[in-house]
Amino acid sequence: NKKVQVQKRAAAGESIENRPDEVATRETFGHWEMDTVKGKRGVTKSCMLVLTERKTRDEIVIKLKDQGAASVVDALDRLERKWGDMFYKVFRSITVDNGVEFSDYEGMERSALKEEKRTFVFYCHPYSSWERGTNENNNRLIRRHIPKGVDFEDTTDEEIKYIETWINNYPRGIFDFKTSAELFDEELQKLA
């Protein structure tokens, strides 16, 4: 009586195969990868929701109270309210893995402020974390501050903001040692 691994996401979620090519080339701003960074297994209910913009590598880190799909949707609702009308230009698509926390694709795409979709969600192939490689790399930067196995139940919003700011102001060789924050601001100026 072998247990069968069931794919946790709704079959109706859009596959990465249908993601526009412009997302893959990183030439267009506003396409994100999203993941969770989890704390100590079996101890920590909370986790970090991490969004990484593909072109600039800009990072947004949000602490979630638990790893449920509703918490992810709630975090995106808060982001949408914070960004207002700019949200739809800045968050054009989000690529996620098949984790249960990302199973509510309709909730993630549905706007909290208006009738139409706020963004488009694309799912990686199962066990293909390299399809969110930018995210995986930035998660390593988070781990410099919060090592694996550390319970971050008590991590404050101030500490999370510090980590996010540190990552976004880290000079990157790939950008001739400019920072993600500088590049992100340049992209926002173009949209303004």
PDB file of all heavy atoms in Angstrom, residues 148-180:
ATOM      1  N   LYS A 148      19.390  28.090   8.015  1.00  0.00           N
ATOM      2  CA  LYS A 148      18.430  26.975   7.991  1.00  0.00           C
ATOM      3  C   LYS A 148      18.328  26.363   9.383  1.00  0.00           C
ATOM      4  O   LYS A 148      19.316  26.268  10.097  1.00  0.00           O
ATOM      5  CB  LYS A 148      18.915  25.903   7.014  1.00  0.00           C
ATOM      6  CG  LYS A 148      18.068  25.778   5.788  1.00  0.00           C
ATOM      7  CD  LYS A 148      18.446  24.537   4.996  1.00  0.00           C
ATOM      8  CE  LYS A 148      17.366  24.173   4.002  1.00  0.00           C
ATOM      9  NZ  LYS A 148      17.318  24.946   2.796  1.00  0.00           N
ATOM     10  N   GLY A 149      17.114  25.971   9.760  1.00  0.00           N
ATOM     11  CA  GLY A 149      16.927  25.330  11.051  1.00  0.00           C
ATOM     12  C   GLY A 149      16.688  26.310  12.190  1.00  0.00           C
ATOM     13  O   GLY A 149      16.380  25.902  13.299  1.00  0.00           O
ATOM     14  N   VAL A 150      16.813  27.607  11.913  1.00  0.00           N
ATOM     15  CA  VAL A 150      16.547  28.607  12.947  1.00  0.00           C
ATOM     16  C   VAL A 150      15.045  28.869  12.992  1.00  0.00           C
ATOM     17  O   VAL A 150      14.394  28.993  11.961  1.00  0.00           O
ATOM     18  CB  VAL A 150      17.313  29.927  12.646  1.00  0.00           C
ATOM     19  CG1 VAL A 150      16.808  31.068  13.506  1.00  0.00           C
ATOM     20  CG2 VAL A 150      18.800  29.727  12.862  1.00  0.00           C
ATOM     21  N   ASP A 151      14.511  28.923  14.192  1.00  0.00           N
ATOM     22  CA  ASP A 151      13.096  29.223  14.374  1.00  0.00           C
ATOM     23  C   ASP A 151      12.937  30.739  14.285  1.00  0.00           C
ATOM     24  O   ASP A 151      13.458  31.465  15.114  1.00  0.00           O
ATOM     25  CB  ASP A 151      12.648  28.715  15.753  1.00  0.00           C
ATOM     26  CG  ASP A 151      11.215  29.121  16.068  1.00  0.00           C
ATOM     27  OD1 ASP A 151      10.494  29.527  15.140  1.00  0.00           O
ATOM     28  OD2 ASP A 151      10.839  29.027  17.240  1.00  0.00           O
ATOM     29  N   PHE A 152      12.224  31.233  13.251  1.00  0.00           N
ATOM     30  CA  PHE A 152      12.098  32.684  13.173  1.00  0.00           C
ATOM     31  C   PHE A 152      10.713  33.195  13.548  1.00  0.00           C
ATOM     32  O   PHE A 152      10.256  34.213  13.074  1.00  0.00           O
ATOM     33  CB  PHE A 152      12.550  33.259  11.833  1.00  0.00           C
ATOM     34  CG  PHE A 152      12.034  32.561  10.616  1.00  0.00           C
ATOM     35  CD1 PHE A 152      10.689  32.526  10.309  1.00  0.00           C
ATOM     36  CD2 PHE A 152      12.935  31.979   9.742  1.00  0.00           C
ATOM     37  CE1 PHE A 152      10.239  31.909   9.167  1.00  0.00           C
ATOM     38  CE2 PHE A 152      12.487  31.353   8.589  1.00  0.00           C
ATOM     39  CZ  PHE A 152      11.146  31.315   8.300  1.00  0.00           C
ATOM     40  N   GLU A 153      10.081  32.445  14.450  1.00  0.00           N
ATOM     41  CA  GLU A 153       8.788  32.866  14.993  1.00  0.00           C
ATOM     42  C   GLU A 153       8.906  34.281  15.590  1.00  0.00           C
ATOM     43  O   GLU A 153       7.999  35.080  15.500  1.00  0.00           O
ATOM     44  CB  GLU A 153       8.356  31.866  16.074  1.00  0.00           C
ATOM     45  CG  GLU A 153       6.863  31.730  16.263  1.00  0.00           C
ATOM     46  CD  GLU A 153       6.130  31.110  15.080  1.00  0.00           C
ATOM     47  OE1 GLU A 153       6.402  29.965  14.697  1.00  0.00           O
ATOM     48  OE2 GLU A 153       5.244  31.801  14.536  1.00  0.00           O
ATOM     49  N   ASP A 154      10.056  34.575  16.203  1.00  0.00           N
ATOM     50  CA  ASP A 154      10.237  35.856  16.901  1.00  0.00           C
ATOM     51  C   ASP A 154      10.899  36.932  16.038  1.00  0.00           C
ATOM     52  O   ASP A 154      11.191  38.013  16.533  1.00  0.00           O
ATOM     53  CB  ASP A 154      11.099  35.646  18.158  1.00  0.00           C
ATOM     54  CG  ASP A 154      10.434  34.667  19.112  1.00  0.00           C
ATOM     55  OD1 ASP A 154       9.201  34.641  19.168  1.00  0.00           O
ATOM     56  OD2 ASP A 154      11.173  33.912  19.786  1.00  0.00           O
ATOM     57  N   THR A 155      11.174  36.621  14.776  1.00  0.00           N
ATOM     58  CA  THR A 155      11.792  37.616  13.899  1.00  0.00           C
ATOM     59  C   THR A 155      10.834  38.792  13.728  1.00  0.00           C
ATOM     60  O   THR A 155       9.673  38.601  13.395  1.00  0.00           O
ATOM     61  CB  THR A 155      12.124  36.998  12.520  1.00  0.00           C
ATOM     62  OG1 THR A 155      12.851  35.797  12.719  1.00  0.00           O
ATOM     63  CG2 THR A 155      12.946  37.952  11.673  1.00  0.00           C
ATOM     64  N   THR A 156      11.322  39.992  13.978  1.00  0.00           N
ATOM     65  CA  THR A 156      10.440  41.171  13.920  1.00  0.00           C
ATOM     66  C   THR A 156      10.361  41.720  12.493  1.00  0.00           C
ATOM     67  O   THR A 156      11.216  41.431  11.648  1.00  0.00           O
ATOM     68  CB  THR A 156      10.982  42.293  14.832  1.00  0.00           C
ATOM     69  OG1 THR A 156      12.241  42.731  14.294  1.00  0.00           O
ATOM     70  CG2 THR A 156      11.160  41.827  16.265  1.00  0.00           C
ATOM     71  N   ASP A 157       9.340  42.537  12.257  1.00  0.00           N
ATOM     72  CA  ASP A 157       9.199  43.196  10.957  1.00  0.00           C
ATOM     73  C   ASP A 157      10.415  44.074  10.665  1.00  0.00           C
ATOM     74  O   ASP A 157      10.839  44.197   9.520  1.00  0.00           O
ATOM     75  CB  ASP A 157       7.920  44.037  10.917  1.00  0.00           C
ATOM     76  CG  ASP A 157       6.672  43.160  10.889  1.00  0.00           C
ATOM     77  OD1 ASP A 157       6.794  41.964  10.548  1.00  0.00           O
ATOM     78  OD2 ASP A 157       5.579  43.661  11.196  1.00  0.00           O
ATOM     79  N   GLU A 158      10.987  44.678  11.721  1.00  0.00           N
ATOM     80  CA  GLU A 158      12.167  45.536  11.547  1.00  0.00           C
ATOM     81  C   GLU A 158      13.353  44.706  11.048  1.00  0.00           C
ATOM     82  O   GLU A 158      14.091  45.133  10.162  1.00  0.00           O
ATOM     83  CB  GLU A 158      12.561  46.218  12.869  1.00  0.00           C
ATOM     84  CG  GLU A 158      11.628  47.322  13.325  1.00  0.00           C
ATOM     85  CD  GLU A 158      10.279  46.811  13.835  1.00  0.00           C
ATOM     86  OE1 GLU A 158      10.242  45.711  14.441  1.00  0.00           O
ATOM     87  OE2 GLU A 158       9.263  47.495  13.610  1.00  0.00           O
ATOM     88  N   GLU A 159      13.529  43.510  11.642  1.00  0.00           N
ATOM     89  CA  GLU A 159      14.626  42.638  11.211  1.00  0.00           C
ATOM     90  C   GLU A 159      14.433  42.192   9.759  1.00  0.00           C
ATOM     91  O   GLU A 159      15.382  42.151   8.987  1.00  0.00           O
ATOM     92  CB  GLU A 159      14.718  41.412  12.133  1.00  0.00           C
ATOM     93  CG  GLU A 159      15.236  41.748  13.529  1.00  0.00           C
ATOM     94  CD  GLU A 159      15.077  40.576  14.497  1.00  0.00           C
ATOM     95  OE1 GLU A 159      13.928  40.221  14.820  1.00  0.00           O
ATOM     96  OE2 GLU A 159      16.112  40.030  14.915  1.00  0.00           O
ATOM     97  N   ILE A 160      13.202  41.885   9.401  1.00  0.00           N
ATOM     98  CA  ILE A 160      12.905  41.462   8.026  1.00  0.00           C
ATOM     99  C   ILE A 160      13.176  42.604   7.053  1.00  0.00           C
ATOM    100  O   ILE A 160      13.770  42.416   5.994  1.00  0.00           O
ATOM    101  CB  ILE A 160      11.457  40.946   7.919  1.00  0.00           C
ATOM    102  CG1 ILE A 160      11.339  39.630   8.697  1.00  0.00           C
ATOM    103  CG2 ILE A 160      11.046  40.759   6.466  1.00  0.00           C
ATOM    104  CD1 ILE A 160       9.941  39.177   8.964  1.00  0.00           C
ATOM    105  N   LYS A 161      12.760  43.809   7.431  1.00  0.00           N
ATOM    106  CA  LYS A 161      12.991  44.996   6.598  1.00  0.00           C
ATOM    107  C   LYS A 161      14.502  45.213   6.420  1.00  0.00           C
ATOM    108  O   LYS A 161      14.975  45.541   5.334  1.00  0.00           O
ATOM    109  CB  LYS A 161      12.337  46.224   7.240  1.00  0.00           C
ATOM    110  CG  LYS A 161      12.309  47.424   6.343  1.00  0.00           C
ATOM    111  CD  LYS A 161      11.206  47.276   5.299  1.00  0.00           C
ATOM    112  CE  LYS A 161      11.387  48.239   4.148  1.00  0.00           C
ATOM    113  NZ  LYS A 161      10.896  47.704   2.874  1.00  0.00           N
ATOM    114  N   TYR A 162      15.257  44.997   7.495  1.00  0.00           N
ATOM    115  CA  TYR A 162      16.726  45.141   7.430  1.00  0.00           C
ATOM    116  C   TYR A 162      17.316  44.169   6.404  1.00  0.00           C
ATOM    117  O   TYR A 162      18.144  44.545   5.570  1.00  0.00           O
ATOM    118  CB  TYR A 162      17.354  44.906   8.813  1.00  0.00           C
ATOM    119  CG  TYR A 162      18.859  44.817   8.756  1.00  0.00           C
ATOM    120  CD1 TYR A 162      19.637  45.975   8.744  1.00  0.00           C
ATOM    121  CD2 TYR A 162      19.493  43.585   8.668  1.00  0.00           C
ATOM    122  CE1 TYR A 162      21.029  45.901   8.649  1.00  0.00           C
ATOM    123  CE2 TYR A 162      20.875  43.500   8.568  1.00  0.00           C
ATOM    124  CZ  TYR A 162      21.642  44.656   8.563  1.00  0.00           C
ATOM    125  OH  TYR A 162      23.003  44.573   8.456  1.00  0.00           O
ATOM    126  N   ILE A 163      16.877  42.908   6.462  1.00  0.00           N
ATOM    127  CA  ILE A 163      17.382  41.886   5.542  1.00  0.00           C
ATOM    128  C   ILE A 163      17.020  42.257   4.096  1.00  0.00           C
ATOM    129  O   ILE A 163      17.861  42.198   3.197  1.00  0.00           O
ATOM    130  CB  ILE A 163      16.830  40.490   5.909  1.00  0.00           C
ATOM    131  CG1 ILE A 163      17.366  40.053   7.277  1.00  0.00           C
ATOM    132  CG2 ILE A 163      17.176  39.463   4.836  1.00  0.00           C
ATOM    133  CD1 ILE A 163      16.669  38.834   7.865  1.00  0.00           C
ATOM    134  N   GLU A 164      15.775  42.661   3.884  1.00  0.00           N
ATOM    135  CA  GLU A 164      15.307  43.057   2.553  1.00  0.00           C
ATOM    136  C   GLU A 164      16.156  44.223   2.015  1.00  0.00           C
ATOM    137  O   GLU A 164      16.621  44.191   0.875  1.00  0.00           O
ATOM    138  CB  GLU A 164      13.832  43.458   2.642  1.00  0.00           C
ATOM    139  CG  GLU A 164      13.208  43.894   1.337  1.00  0.00           C
ATOM    140  CD  GLU A 164      11.791  44.406   1.550  1.00  0.00           C
ATOM    141  OE1 GLU A 164      10.869  43.583   1.742  1.00  0.00           O
ATOM    142  OE2 GLU A 164      11.595  45.640   1.525  1.00  0.00           O
ATOM    143  N   THR A 165      16.385  45.225   2.843  1.00  0.00           N
ATOM    144  CA  THR A 165      17.178  46.396   2.446  1.00  0.00           C
ATOM    145  C   THR A 165      18.623  45.999   2.146  1.00  0.00           C
ATOM    146  O   THR A 165      19.213  46.442   1.159  1.00  0.00           O
ATOM    147  CB  THR A 165      17.124  47.475   3.562  1.00  0.00           C
ATOM    148  OG1 THR A 165      15.755  47.795   3.799  1.00  0.00           O
ATOM    149  CG2 THR A 165      17.863  48.737   3.153  1.00  0.00           C
ATOM    150  N   TRP A 166      19.187  45.107   2.992  1.00  0.00           N
ATOM    151  CA  TRP A 166      20.557  44.633   2.787  1.00  0.00           C
ATOM    152  C   TRP A 166      20.682  43.941   1.427  1.00  0.00           C
ATOM    153  O   TRP A 166      21.616  44.217   0.662  1.00  0.00           O
ATOM    154  CB  TRP A 166      20.948  43.691   3.928  1.00  0.00           C
ATOM    155  CG  TRP A 166      22.354  43.195   3.837  1.00  0.00           C
ATOM    156  CD1 TRP A 166      23.485  43.820   4.276  1.00  0.00           C
ATOM    157  CD2 TRP A 166      22.784  41.963   3.249  1.00  0.00           C
ATOM    158  NE1 TRP A 166      24.597  43.038   3.995  1.00  0.00           N
ATOM    159  CE2 TRP A 166      24.195  41.911   3.365  1.00  0.00           C
ATOM    160  CE3 TRP A 166      22.117  40.900   2.624  1.00  0.00           C
ATOM    161  CZ2 TRP A 166      24.950  40.832   2.896  1.00  0.00           C
ATOM    162  CZ3 TRP A 166      22.864  39.831   2.157  1.00  0.00           C
ATOM    163  CH2 TRP A 166      24.261  39.797   2.286  1.00  0.00           C
ATOM    164  N   ILE A 167      19.736  43.055   1.119  1.00  0.00           N
ATOM    165  CA  ILE A 167      19.774  42.322  -0.153  1.00  0.00           C
ATOM    166  C   ILE A 167      19.667  43.299  -1.331  1.00  0.00           C
ATOM    167  O   ILE A 167      20.414  43.206  -2.304  1.00  0.00           O
ATOM    168  CB  ILE A 167      18.653  41.260  -0.222  1.00  0.00           C
ATOM    169  CG1 ILE A 167      18.941  40.131   0.769  1.00  0.00           C
ATOM    170  CG2 ILE A 167      18.507  40.711  -1.643  1.00  0.00           C
ATOM    171  CD1 ILE A 167      17.795  39.154   0.946  1.00  0.00           C
ATOM    172  N   ASN A 168      18.740  44.247  -1.237  1.00  0.00           N
ATOM    173  CA  ASN A 168      18.498  45.168  -2.349  1.00  0.00           C
ATOM    174  C   ASN A 168      19.617  46.186  -2.538  1.00  0.00           C
ATOM    175  O   ASN A 168      19.724  46.806  -3.591  1.00  0.00           O
ATOM    176  CB  ASN A 168      17.143  45.865  -2.185  1.00  0.00           C
ATOM    177  CG  ASN A 168      16.001  44.889  -2.398  1.00  0.00           C
ATOM    178  OD1 ASN A 168      16.144  43.908  -3.120  1.00  0.00           O
ATOM    179  ND2 ASN A 168      14.879  45.150  -1.763  1.00  0.00           N
ATOM    180  N   ASN A 169      20.461  46.352  -1.528  1.00  0.00           N
ATOM    181  CA  ASN A 169      21.578  47.292  -1.624  1.00  0.00           C
ATOM    182  C   ASN A 169      22.930  46.588  -1.715  1.00  0.00           C
ATOM    183  O   ASN A 169      23.969  47.191  -1.514  1.00  0.00           O
ATOM    184  CB  ASN A 169      21.539  48.277  -0.448  1.00  0.00           C
ATOM    185  CG  ASN A 169      20.388  49.257  -0.620  1.00  0.00           C
ATOM    186  OD1 ASN A 169      20.449  50.154  -1.444  1.00  0.00           O
ATOM    187  ND2 ASN A 169      19.323  49.042   0.127  1.00  0.00           N
ATOM    188  N   TYR A 170      22.882  45.308  -2.044  1.00  0.00           N
ATOM    189  CA  TYR A 170      24.076  44.479  -2.195  1.00  0.00           C
ATOM    190  C   TYR A 170      24.596  44.680  -3.629  1.00  0.00           C
ATOM    191  O   TYR A 170      23.869  44.394  -4.579  1.00  0.00           O
ATOM    192  CB  TYR A 170      23.644  43.028  -1.966  1.00  0.00           C
ATOM    193  CG  TYR A 170      24.732  42.003  -1.933  1.00  0.00           C
ATOM    194  CD1 TYR A 170      25.458  41.784  -0.771  1.00  0.00           C
ATOM    195  CD2 TYR A 170      24.997  41.219  -3.049  1.00  0.00           C
ATOM    196  CE1 TYR A 170      26.442  40.807  -0.727  1.00  0.00           C
ATOM    197  CE2 TYR A 170      25.979  40.243  -3.014  1.00  0.00           C
ATOM    198  CZ  TYR A 170      26.692  40.042  -1.844  1.00  0.00           C
ATOM    199  OH  TYR A 170      27.661  39.073  -1.800  1.00  0.00           O
ATOM    200  N   PRO A 171      25.805  45.222  -3.802  1.00  0.00           N
ATOM    201  CA  PRO A 171      26.312  45.452  -5.172  1.00  0.00           C
ATOM    202  C   PRO A 171      26.496  44.119  -5.902  1.00  0.00           C
ATOM    203  O   PRO A 171      27.075  43.193  -5.352  1.00  0.00           O
ATOM    204  CB  PRO A 171      27.670  46.145  -4.952  1.00  0.00           C
ATOM    205  CG  PRO A 171      27.680  46.550  -3.520  1.00  0.00           C
ATOM    206  CD  PRO A 171      26.787  45.606  -2.787  1.00  0.00           C
ATOM    207  N   ARG A 172      26.006  44.040  -7.130  1.00  0.00           N
ATOM    208  CA  ARG A 172      26.020  42.767  -7.848  1.00  0.00           C
ATOM    209  C   ARG A 172      26.909  42.831  -9.088  1.00  0.00           C
ATOM    210  O   ARG A 172      26.727  43.700  -9.939  1.00  0.00           O
ATOM    211  CB  ARG A 172      24.597  42.381  -8.251  1.00  0.00           C
ATOM    212  CG  ARG A 172      23.744  42.054  -7.023  1.00  0.00           C
ATOM    213  CD  ARG A 172      22.314  41.814  -7.426  1.00  0.00           C
ATOM    214  NE  ARG A 172      21.475  41.623  -6.265  1.00  0.00           N
ATOM    215  CZ  ARG A 172      21.017  40.444  -5.860  1.00  0.00           C
ATOM    216  NH1 ARG A 172      21.338  39.353  -6.497  1.00  0.00           N
ATOM    217  NH2 ARG A 172      20.232  40.371  -4.819  1.00  0.00           N
ATOM    218  N   GLY A 173      27.824  41.889  -9.167  1.00  0.00           N
ATOM    219  CA  GLY A 173      28.728  41.795 -10.308  1.00  0.00           C
ATOM    220  C   GLY A 173      27.983  41.740 -11.629  1.00  0.00           C
ATOM    221  O   GLY A 173      28.401  42.338 -12.620  1.00  0.00           O
ATOM    222  N   ILE A 174      26.875  41.017 -11.653  1.00  0.00           N
ATOM    223  CA  ILE A 174      26.090  40.855 -12.874  1.00  0.00           C
ATOM    224  C   ILE A 174      25.589  42.209 -13.401  1.00  0.00           C
ATOM    225  O   ILE A 174      25.304  42.356 -14.583  1.00  0.00           O
ATOM    226  CB  ILE A 174      24.929  39.858 -12.630  1.00  0.00           C
ATOM    227  CG1 ILE A 174      24.299  39.430 -13.944  1.00  0.00           C
ATOM    228  CG2 ILE A 174      23.874  40.436 -11.687  1.00  0.00           C
ATOM    229  CD1 ILE A 174      23.304  38.301 -13.807  1.00  0.00           C
ATOM    230  N   PHE A 175      25.488  43.212 -12.521  1.00  0.00           N
ATOM    231  CA  PHE A 175      25.007  44.553 -12.906  1.00  0.00           C
ATOM    232  C   PHE A 175      26.130  45.596 -12.832  1.00  0.00           C
ATOM    233  O   PHE A 175      25.876  46.757 -12.524  1.00  0.00           O
ATOM    234  CB  PHE A 175      23.866  45.004 -11.991  1.00  0.00           C
ATOM    235  CG  PHE A 175      22.645  44.137 -12.037  1.00  0.00           C
ATOM    236  CD1 PHE A 175      21.975  43.805 -10.862  1.00  0.00           C
ATOM    237  CD2 PHE A 175      22.142  43.652 -13.234  1.00  0.00           C
ATOM    238  CE1 PHE A 175      20.829  43.011 -10.895  1.00  0.00           C
ATOM    239  CE2 PHE A 175      21.004  42.851 -13.269  1.00  0.00           C
ATOM    240  CZ  PHE A 175      20.345  42.526 -12.097  1.00  0.00           C
ATOM    241  N   ASP A 176      27.365  45.198 -13.072  1.00  0.00           N
ATOM    242  CA  ASP A 176      28.499  46.125 -12.941  1.00  0.00           C
ATOM    243  C   ASP A 176      28.507  46.789 -11.567  1.00  0.00           C
ATOM    244  O   ASP A 176      28.779  47.982 -11.439  1.00  0.00           O
ATOM    245  CB  ASP A 176      28.477  47.192 -14.045  1.00  0.00           C
ATOM    246  CG  ASP A 176      28.776  46.594 -15.414  1.00  0.00           C
ATOM    247  OD1 ASP A 176      29.524  45.602 -15.463  1.00  0.00           O
ATOM    248  OD2 ASP A 176      28.243  47.111 -16.413  1.00  0.00           O
ATOM    249  N   PHE A 177      28.170  46.019 -10.579  1.00  0.00           N
ATOM    250  CA  PHE A 177      28.187  46.431  -9.165  1.00  0.00           C
ATOM    251  C   PHE A 177      27.171  47.515  -8.809  1.00  0.00           C
ATOM    252  O   PHE A 177      27.279  48.159  -7.773  1.00  0.00           O
ATOM    253  CB  PHE A 177      29.616  46.766  -8.698  1.00  0.00           C
ATOM    254  CG  PHE A 177      30.479  45.544  -8.803  1.00  0.00           C
ATOM    255  CD1 PHE A 177      31.292  45.339  -9.903  1.00  0.00           C
ATOM    256  CD2 PHE A 177      30.411  44.551  -7.834  1.00  0.00           C
ATOM    257  CE1 PHE A 177      32.040  44.171 -10.032  1.00  0.00           C
ATOM    258  CE2 PHE A 177      31.156  43.386  -7.950  1.00  0.00           C
ATOM    259  CZ  PHE A 177      31.977  43.202  -9.055  1.00  0.00           C
ATOM    260  N   LYS A 178      26.161  47.678  -9.656  1.00  0.00           N
ATOM    261  CA  LYS A 178      24.998  48.468  -9.241  1.00  0.00           C
ATOM    262  C   LYS A 178      24.172  47.565  -8.325  1.00  0.00           C
ATOM    263  O   LYS A 178      24.341  46.346  -8.303  1.00  0.00           O
ATOM    264  CB  LYS A 178      24.153  48.865 -10.460  1.00  0.00           C
ATOM    265  CG  LYS A 178      24.707  50.048 -11.238  1.00  0.00           C
ATOM    266  CD  LYS A 178      23.775  50.381 -12.376  1.00  0.00           C
ATOM    267  CE  LYS A 178      23.591  51.877 -12.491  1.00  0.00           C
ATOM    268  NZ  LYS A 178      22.731  52.208 -13.637  1.00  0.00           N
ATOM    269  N   THR A 179      23.248  48.175  -7.581  1.00  0.00           N
ATOM    270  CA  THR A 179      22.403  47.388  -6.682  1.00  0.00           C
ATOM    271  C   THR A 179      21.025  47.174  -7.303  1.00  0.00           C
ATOM    272  O   THR A 179      20.607  47.924  -8.199  1.00  0.00           O
ATOM    273  CB  THR A 179      22.227  48.106  -5.330  1.00  0.00           C
ATOM    274  OG1 THR A 179      21.436  49.280  -5.542  1.00  0.00           O
ATOM    275  CG2 THR A 179      23.565  48.478  -4.709  1.00  0.00           C
ATOM    276  N   SER A 180      20.334  46.171  -6.801  1.00  0.00           N
ATOM    277  CA  SER A 180      18.960  45.923  -7.248  1.00  0.00           C
ATOM    278  C   SER A 180      18.078  47.125  -6.954  1.00  0.00           C
ATOM    279  O   SER A 180      17.207  47.473  -7.747  1.00  0.00           O
ATOM    280  CB  SER A 180      18.403  44.680  -6.548  1.00  0.00           C
ATOM    281  OG  SER A 180      19.124  43.545  -6.964  1.00  0.00           O
TER     282      SER A 180
END
